Amino acid sequence: MEEFKPQSLFIDTRVAHFPVVKRVLSLWPHLKPNFVDDLSFLKQAIPHSEAKKKLLITRFDGSVVKPCQGFGDYVCCNYLTVSLISNCHFECSYCILQDYLKNNPIMTFYANHHEILAQVEKFLDERPQQIWRVGTGELADSLALDPITDFSRECIALAARKQNMILELKTKSNCVDHLLKLPHHNKTVLSWSLNPKEHVKKEEHKTANLDERLAAARKAANAGYWIAFHLDPLMHLEGWKKNYEELLIQLADEFCSEEIAWISMGSLRYTSGLENIARERFPKSELFLGELFKSPDGKIRYLREIREELYTYVKNLVEKNFPTVPNYLCMETNKVWERIYGRTSTQGEIEKHLNERFG
Ligand code: SF4
């Protein structure tokens, strides 16, 4: 995995005294901080490769707790997202942040994470009847920069003391060493997005390779954390059947069902604005050559027949190797759920799985 090495640092004067600023300054003493009152000159559409070399530390003042983006007929996996970081120094060719953040792509840490987590706590306290899965990985990888920010420590502490919260930290990194001794009380799931090693090499640049991710997952499981895997995005690349079969064999060799909270599957999807950006930034990518079309939610996806072929094959491998681990589809239509599982998914069903595992 490649480390984040910013070349310029901007600090919002309102957060100059926050702990993460002190950590960043001590970690990179060679970086000369630019203290700024007006951030408008930083919030600009600059090329992503340039934006990923700049770091801004500021505060987040908006509404922090957002439901994940299920839309229309697409089934949502009952998830709340909280942003503590914006953008990611990894370079997955298909990363939708290249489009989502195109007008404001500079790497950003939100130093007021205590206030953000206080809002999460209030949200949970006002809705005590339901178990909420909370994640920090919508606008960033949850763990890739955590040895620098140390944000997850307090997220894990919050989950440990809230009866109705499960924290999920989703990553393509191997950054877990700093979390292994924390008192997580089995309320945090450390999860890895996985793809076969050939797909990682071709499309997930700068991330931890497959073996590094699985070694980190082994450490997490040994430390008593629940672990989870997201086979996402499933890629319909040459040799995919053999590649996913080898991946599931490797998982079954290295993990047992009792350690895994869930396994999800989601097929490649991206915004219509992404394709041109990605083709320009990753001209060797083979992902955008497939049979893809625009779905009703505006995202580009494989044709339904291809998605169903992927899900049927990979779900069989998952259930053959991990028959007792709950599996589900992420961001799919009820029609596809019905054809793959013989039934539609409901929010209630996902809650039932959570209650069984964590209630
Ligand atoms: S790890 Fe996630 S957030 Fe980072 S570049 Fe890849 S897809 Fe984007």
Side-chain angles (χ1 to χ4, degrees):
M1 157 184 156
E2 196 166 303
E3 281 178 27
F4 176 46
K5 289 189 188 140
Q7 292 174 1
S8 47
L9 173 62
F10 300 89
I11 298 172
D12 181 339
T13 47
R14 297 172 301 166
V15 303
H17 57 291
F18 278 70
V20 68
V21 173
K22 291 194 182 116
R23 285 178 65 81
V24 162
L25 291 176
S26 68
L27 279 169
W28 295 307
H30 61 284
L31 274 184
K32 188 177 165 304
N34 300 285
F35 291 93
V36 287
D37 293 321
D38 178 4
L39 308 183
S40 54
F41 77 102
L42 293 167
K43 299 192 174 179
Q44 289 183 35
I46 58 170
H48 262 267
S49 310
E50 196 186 313
K52 291 184 183 212
K53 292 182 191 145
K54 296 177 193 274
L55 173 61
L56 166 66
I57 308 180
T58 183
R59 48 178 297 123
F60 188 91
D61 290 315
S63 169
V64 293
V65 189
K66 286 195 238 143
C68 94
Q69 336 125 32
F71 176 89
D73 196 27
Y74 288 85
V75 177
C76 181
C77 48
N78 195 25
Y79 206 88
L80 295 176
T81 57
V82 179
S83 296
L84 302 173
I85 295 178
S86 176
N87 216 343
C88 174
H89 73 292
F90 292 156
E91 291 279 25
C92 302
S93 59
Y94 54 81
C95 179
I96 52 173
L97 299 184
Q98 296 171 100
D99 188 29
Y100 276 168
L101 299 176
K102 64 177 179 246
N103 293 322
N104 186 17
I106 190 169
M107 296 283 303
T108 303
F109 295 170
Y110 297 115
N112 59 329
H113 69 291
H114 296 92
E115 294 166 18
I116 294 173
L117 293 180
Q119 281 194 45
V120 175
E121 187 159 11
K122 184 166 177 282
F123 179 95
L124 296 168
D125 288 345
E126 287 167 353
R127 296 159 182 85
Q129 315 79 359
Q130 192 178 343
I131 294 185
W132 296 89
R133 193 153 56 124
V134 179
T136 59
E138 190 198 17
L139 294 182
D141 183 289
S142 291
L143 291 178
L145 300 172
D146 206 53
I148 300 163
T149 64
D150 206 28
F151 287 159
S152 294
R153 176 186 301 272
E154 282 184 47
C155 301
I156 290 171
L158 177 65
R161 68 173 189 273
K162 300 313 288 183
Q163 196 112 38
N164 61 335
M165 170 178 170
I166 305 298
L167 173 68
E168 181 178 18
L169 299 173
K170 197 191 289 188
T171 190
K172 291 190 184 102
S173 79
N174 58 352
C175 300
V176 295
D177 290 348
H178 62 301
L179 306 178
L180 299 179
K181 296 209 169 111
L182 298 180
H184 54 78
H185 298 173
N186 297 322
K187 296 292 299 303
T188 293
V189 179
L190 300 184
S191 70
W192 278 266
S193 300
L194 297 182
N195 251 301
K197 58 179 183 297
E198 297 82 355
H199 301 195
V200 171
K201 204 166 164 196
K202 280 184 184 160
E203 308 290 347
E204 297 178 347
H205 310 285
K206 302 189 180 180
T207 60
N209 66 34
L210 178 64
D211 288 342
E212 289 169 337
R213 291 183 211 177
L214 296 186
R218 169 50 42 225
K219 286 185 193 173
N222 289 350
Y225 282 98
W226 280 103
I227 56 169
F229 297 119
H230 298 277
L231 305 174
D232 194 349
L234 294 175
M235 301 180 194
H236 197 256
L237 295 175
E238 200 184 332
W240 67 270
K241 286 190 175 176
K242 179 179 136 299
N243 296 343
Y244 283 106
E245 188 171 358
E246 284 174 7
L247 172 61
L248 264 298
I249 288 171
Q250 186 172 358
L251 285 184
D253 276 351
E254 298 185 22
F255 300 94
C256 61
S257 296
E258 291 68 33
E259 296 172 316
I260 304 175
W262 57 75
I263 298 176
S264 80
M265 292 161 282
S267 65
L268 177 68
R269 56 202 174 278
Y270 52 86
T271 55
S272 54
L274 175 76
E275 193 161 327
N276 286 343
I277 301 172
R279 277 181 189 275
E280 196 180 315
R281 299 192 69 225
F282 303 99
K284 291 189 184 152
S285 170
E286 293 167 17
L287 272 187
F288 307 98
L289 307 174
E291 290 182 78
L292 296 138
F293 82 114
K294 194 168 192 169
S295 8
D297 67 347
K299 294 232 173 89
I300 313 289
R301 289 177 160 80
Y302 289 126
L303 289 172
R304 183 164 58 79
E305 291 71 19
I306 295 177
R307 299 196 327 260
E308 288 178 3
E309 188 190 9
L310 279 164
Y311 294 139
T312 304
Y313 189 80
V314 176
K315 174 176 168 283
N316 282 341
L317 292 172
V318 169
E319 293 183 345
K320 186 172 142 199
N321 289 287
F322 299 104
T324 59
V325 175
N327 67 72
Y328 66 92
L329 303 182
C330 189
M331 292 287 286
E332 260 307 341
T333 61
N334 266 318
K335 184 166 190 175
V336 171
W337 265 86
E338 233 174 282
R339 291 171 69 99
I340 301 301
Y341 288 93
R343 57 186 160 71
T344 54
S345 165
T346 63
Q347 205 83 328
E349 184 180 352
I350 294 167
E351 277 171 38
K352 185 170 149 266
H353 283 315
L354 287 177
N355 278 317
E356 279 167 10
R357 284 292 210 225
F358 300 98

